[in-house]
């Protein structure tokens, strides 16, 4: 079992930056691959970024490549999502999620692949 608590959301103007943090407790953090998802009003939850439990591999939604960076610090049991050059279409509730894959370099990307979820934090980008 693992508990995920995220922070760092808020209101920002287009072009601005935010950094989301997700702290994990419970089992050893390094056994989990971590991901970030978001959900806009009236839309399905979508994948944003993920990092392998080895923290050596990452994967991004095409629309955030070059703007968002996912990173992990196993010593702090925390995963981060640095979001730069934010756009109004990035608005939504952001969730972090944990998965315990068999491979150290596996990067899960589908909602059903993740076992644990945070409570979500609102990110609003104004135009």
């Amino acid at each position: 079992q693992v508990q995920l608590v995220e922070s760092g959301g808020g209101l920002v103007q287009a072009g601005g930056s935010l950094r989301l943090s997700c702290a994990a407790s419970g089992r050893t953090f390094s056994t989990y691959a971590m991901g970030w998802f978001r959900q806009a009003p009236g839309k399905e939850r979508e994948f944003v970024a993920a990092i392998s439990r080895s923290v050596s591999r990452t994967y991004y939604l095409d629309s955030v490549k070059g703007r968002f960076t996912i990173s992990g610090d196993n010593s702090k049991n925390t995963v981060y999502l640095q979001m730069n050059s934010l756009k109004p279409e990035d608005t939504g509730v952001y969730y972090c999620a944990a998965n315990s894959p068999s491979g150290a370099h596996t990067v899960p990307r589908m909602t059903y692949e993740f076992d644990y979820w945070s409570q979500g934090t609102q990110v609003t980008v104004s135009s």
Side-chain angles (χ1 to χ4, degrees):
Q1 191 72 286
V2 64
Q3 293 78 43
L4 304 173
V5 179
E6 63 177 307
S7 59
L11 172 65
V12 65
Q13 288 189 333
S17 298
L18 284 173
R19 188 176 81 156
L20 304 182
S21 300
C22 178
S25 61
R27 289 178 59 186
T28 305
F29 182 72
S30 60
T31 65
Y32 292 96
M34 301 295 293
W36 288 95
F37 290 75
R38 66 187 181 191
Q39 188 166 18
K43 295 187 177 181
E44 292 188 355
R45 191 171 298 188
E46 69 172 351
F47 169 83
V48 175
I51 189 167
S52 63
R53 59 184 176 93
S54 66
V55 296
S56 63
R57 295 189 180 177
T58 59
Y59 194 83
Y60 296 92
L61 177 69
D62 283 347
S63 63
V64 307
K65 284 181 181 177
R67 299 190 297 121
F68 291 11
T69 302
I70 186 171
S71 61
D73 186 336
N74 286 343
S75 67
K76 296 182 178 179
N77 286 354
T78 301
V79 64
Y80 304 96
L81 185 67
Q82 178 67 44
M83 304 185 294
N84 299 327
S85 302
L86 282 161
K87 303 176 181 180
E89 51 263 43
D90 295 318
T91 294
V93 178
Y94 281 68
Y95 301 88
C96 69
N99 162 276
S100 187
S102 57
H105 306 301
T106 300
V107 184
R109 307 164 205 173
M110 306 302 291
T111 306
Y112 64 80
E113 294 182 280
F114 290 85
D115 304 307
Y116 305 100
W117 293 84
S118 67
Q119 78 283 3
T121 188
Q122 179 70 43
V123 171
T124 302
V125 184
S126 62
S127 58

